[in-house]
Amino acid sequence: MNWRTIRAIAQKDLYEARQNKSVWLPIMIVPLVFILVLPAVILIMAGNPEIAASMNSDPETAKMITLLPAFMQSMITGLNTAQSMVVLFLGYFFAPFFLILPIMFATVIASESFAGERERKTIEALLYTPASDAELFLGKVMASFVPAILITWASFLGYILVLNGAGYPIMGKLWFPMTSWYPMIFWMSPALSLLGVAATVLISSKMQTFMGAYQTSASLVVLVIALMVGQFTGVLALSPLVGMLVGLVLWLVDVLLTVLAVKSFNRSKILASEV
């Protein structure tokens, strides 16, 4: 296994991805809106004295909080209603969005891999290189996996700054991140990213266009939606322990899928389909 070759393939893919607006535009817009702008707006509204007073005196909101599961109520013990809503919405309900980000980023970049090469008519030159099938496949995976993780972690850092900066007047302290976020960000997110990359690169090798590959691989988000539904309904609370266990299952699936994908990846079949 020649890691210099793998790195060169990854660098080439990243360079080409930067030239495609369909790749980098959603990567810029989604974190900006859902991770920075929307939370900031929620915090500014919650920090408004009139809105905060209204929330604190609203019997319906107080009643809703009393109906929450015990583990949710434990997160807001000692907080007023406005503070409780901030913690619940931005500290708990927003958490699954950070499981969508790595899959979204990874699938956008990975979809560009082979499908993008086909659109640019450069696929044959790439497949005739002396790199082995495994090196070619892993180079494509690395080009998507590493940026997806780095962007997710950068978004998480921005989220921390927004929640603690704009939320300080409301909370009166630096309150974020909560412990349940650490396994989700540093354990589950990389696993989901690798899952998305391995599947998408394999899909992309069989698709003719970037958009076709991306739309097909977007179905992977269904996995995260299931986690989100479980989180919102309280059926699946992403506690540190649950996060570690779910992440372990995802990593095991990653290993299996990656091994199968490398074994099934065959440049001869791809070249034959180009003829």
Side-chain angles (χ1 to χ4, degrees):
M1 191 74 68
N2 189 329
W3 287 101
R4 181 177 297 178
T5 300
I6 293 172
R7 189 165 54 250
I9 293 170
Q11 290 173 343
K12 180 191 74 67
D13 269 24
L14 286 174
Y15 174 79
E16 290 171 346
R18 289 198 298 268
Q19 314 305 312
N20 189 340
K21 289 184 179 180
S22 298
V23 174
W24 57 260
L25 204 57
I27 290 177
M28 292 179 60
I29 293 175
V30 172
L32 182 64
V33 174
F34 290 98
I35 306 304
L36 301 179
V37 175
L38 188 56
V41 170
I42 292 173
L43 287 168
I44 292 172
M45 291 177 62
N48 182 288
E50 294 182 3
I51 296 177
S54 176
M55 292 174 65
N56 289 327
S57 61
D58 184 7
E60 293 300 321
T61 304
K63 182 179 179 180
M64 182 193 72
I65 291 176
T66 62
L67 297 175
L68 293 172
F71 71 89
M72 289 190 190
Q73 293 194 30
S74 66
M75 295 187 298
I76 56 177
T77 302
L79 302 179
N80 61 38
T81 304
Q83 293 171 332
S84 297
M85 298 307 291
V86 167
V87 172
L88 289 173
F89 276 98
L90 298 181
Y92 181 74
F93 292 126
F94 261 54
F97 283 109
F98 279 87
L99 299 179
I100 290 179
L101 291 182
I103 283 189
M104 191 200 77
F105 296 150
T107 53
V108 167
I109 301 173
S111 296
E112 231 280 329
S113 58
F114 287 103
E117 298 274 7
R118 280 196 171 99
E119 289 185 315
R120 293 188 298 273
K121 309 299 182 183
T122 59
I123 184 72
E124 291 189 29
L126 176 67
L127 295 175
Y128 278 121
T129 61
S132 67
D133 286 354
E135 290 168 350
L136 190 58
F137 183 87
L138 292 176
K140 296 287 186 181
V141 168
M142 183 181 292
S144 310
F145 176 76
V146 174
I149 293 304
L150 293 179
I151 296 170
T152 299
W153 289 348
S155 300
F156 179 55
L157 177 59
Y159 196 64
I160 292 173
L161 295 175
V162 169
L163 263 58
N164 285 317
Y168 192 87
I170 304 167
M171 306 301 296
K173 61 179 180 180
L174 301 178
W175 65 280
F176 189 83
M178 299 153 67
T179 55
S180 59
W181 281 72
Y182 292 110
M184 186 185 69
I185 294 297
F186 298 109
W187 179 240
M188 292 178 64
S189 289
L192 283 167
S193 179
L194 183 57
L195 178 66
V197 170
T200 304
V201 171
L202 200 56
I203 291 169
S204 182
S205 68
K206 303 178 186 301
M207 301 296 292
Q208 296 298 319
T209 64
F210 161 72
M211 289 307 299
Y214 177 60
Q215 289 170 0
T216 302
S217 60
S219 60
L220 293 169
V221 175
V222 172
L223 293 173
V224 181
I225 292 176
L227 292 173
M228 291 179 66
V229 171
Q231 177 92 328
F232 291 154
T233 59
V235 174
L236 176 65
L238 289 178
S239 64
L241 178 59
V242 172
M244 294 299 293
L245 292 176
V246 173
L248 178 60
V249 173
L250 289 171
W251 279 111
L252 292 175
V253 174
D254 286 344
V255 172
L256 178 62
L257 180 61
T258 302
V259 170
L260 291 175
V262 170
K263 288 183 177 181
S264 63
F265 179 78
N266 189 310
R267 74 172 68 196
S268 298
K269 293 181 180 179
I270 299 174
L271 282 170
S273 68
E274 297 300 311
V275 177

